[in-house]
Amino acid sequence: MSDHDSQLDSTAGIRARIDTSKPHSARFWNYFVGGKDNYEKDRELGDQIKEIFPGLVDVARTSRQFLGRAVRHLAGEQGVRQFLDIGTGLPTADNTHQVAQRVAPDSRIVYVDNDPLVLAHARALLTSTPEGETAYIDADLYDPDAILREASKTLDLSQPVALIILNTLGHVADHGKACDLVTRLMAALPSGSFLVISDSTATSEGMIAASNEYNRSGAIPYHVRSVEEIAAFFDGLELLEPGVEQVTRWRAETADPARVDAYGAVARKP
């Protein structure tokens, strides 16, 4: 058995790290997208926030759809074959590797998260086509060097990589620190790599109220930002059309996409 398998098989140790007494963002989000990997505290908070701001459910679902469109575009039209997905969350339908490998079976995907429940379910993320490969890293966004070191065991960091960070940077309270983490990760990737980011935004009173309620719950706080602050994550990169936009409106597949309080973009490293 490999070290990697041993890590995934240490179920008892992983489960011991799971705190069910407080909500957690991965489980909370899982509840909103219709998943079953959540606990009573996550559902209680989810129901409270639905009453304050039902639109957050739309943010959860449409952010997932944005991920699918972005990955399909990168794999299909940009020829990307390597993906580094940080803040993976709990497995649902159409995870990054499933979307990418449907387009390009030889795609290689590395998932990164530090939530023990996500780790406990990591086997669902480690299926792969014979031509491609998937891996999972139990690591923290605040340690880019460790992420890159472990990712290099699966990905060739001398070749373009799509770095994906969805609904995760809001957990970094200081915007300057969040920008620095993104910059450090992108600095290690070669020209022709891509950055995909989306996050909830302080673009309505409802979203701000929902964020405040979430942060009072005891969960790790999540800070909604302005659209301008989201755009700053892409400084120095070449934005793909339509630029920084509501996630529903980024290369929308419907004529009149819904309005949501979440913005994202895809950009290329020159």
Side-chain angles (χ1 to χ4, degrees):
M1 180 182 291
S2 69
D3 291 344
H4 186 66
D5 285 338
S6 298
Q7 180 188 43
L8 291 180
D9 279 334
S10 59
T11 305
I14 294 166
R15 294 281 181 184
R17 290 168 48 193
I18 298 171
D19 182 359
T20 62
S21 67
K22 295 182 290 190
H24 189 281
S25 59
R27 305 190 307 249
F28 172 82
W29 216 242
N30 177 263
Y31 176 55
F32 271 1
V33 298
K36 296 181 174 59
D37 297 314
N38 47 72
Y39 294 94
E40 184 178 355
K41 290 292 184 182
D42 308 303
R43 297 188 288 272
E44 286 178 358
L45 178 61
D47 291 339
Q48 290 171 18
I49 288 181
K50 284 180 189 178
E51 292 184 11
I52 296 169
F53 183 55
L56 191 57
V57 177
D58 295 329
V59 168
R61 292 175 178 166
T62 59
S63 294
R64 196 73 189 177
Q65 293 162 3
F66 164 74
L67 169 66
R69 295 196 303 279
V71 171
R72 280 195 300 273
H73 173 77
L74 291 173
E77 298 183 41
Q78 301 291 342
V80 176
R81 296 294 179 266
Q82 303 191 109
F83 297 82
L84 178 58
D85 187 337
I86 299 178
T88 302
L90 287 157
T92 60
D94 284 344
N95 300 293
T96 298
H97 75 284
Q98 293 166 321
V99 177
Q101 291 182 345
R102 275 200 295 268
V103 177
D106 58 335
S107 296
R108 303 167 75 85
I109 295 87
V110 172
Y111 292 105
V112 182
D113 210 301
N114 68 339
D115 176 59
L117 187 62
V118 178
L119 177 59
H121 288 266
R123 285 199 181 280
L125 294 171
L126 297 178
T127 59
S128 176
T129 57
E131 304 95 325
E133 186 173 351
T134 64
Y136 180 94
I137 302 171
D138 182 14
D140 195 297
L141 174 63
Y142 288 95
D143 194 353
D145 293 340
I147 290 173
L148 292 162
R149 183 174 61 251
E150 291 301 311
S152 69
K153 296 176 182 179
T154 302
L155 306 178
D156 178 356
L157 300 187
S158 71
Q159 298 298 314
V161 175
L163 172 63
I164 301 171
I165 315 176
L166 299 195
N167 305 302
T168 298
L169 290 167
H171 288 303
V172 182
D174 182 77
H175 180 251
K177 177 63 174 177
C179 287
D180 177 65
L181 291 169
V182 172
T183 298
R184 287 172 63 189
L185 288 162
M186 287 302 296
L189 304 180
S191 173
S193 292
F194 289 85
L195 175 63
V196 184
I197 287 175
S198 75
D199 260 306
S200 300
T201 48
T203 42
S204 76
E205 291 301 320
M207 175 56 88
I208 293 169
S211 176
N212 290 338
E213 182 70 15
Y214 179 84
N215 292 344
R216 282 192 292 266
S217 72
I220 298 171
Y222 186 96
H223 305 275
V224 292
R225 296 194 159 103
S226 68
V227 178
E228 291 74 21
E229 287 174 315
I230 301 298
F233 293 133
F234 299 95
D235 285 352
L237 305 177
E238 300 169 347
L239 284 165
L240 274 58
E241 291 294 332
V244 180
E245 183 56 274
Q246 290 178 46
V247 292
T248 49
R249 295 169 181 266
W250 192 89
R251 299 181 182 249
E253 295 171 344
T254 58
D256 187 23
R259 292 190 172 276
V260 294
D261 294 299
Y263 278 70
V266 180
R268 182 183 182 276
K269 181 175 179 177

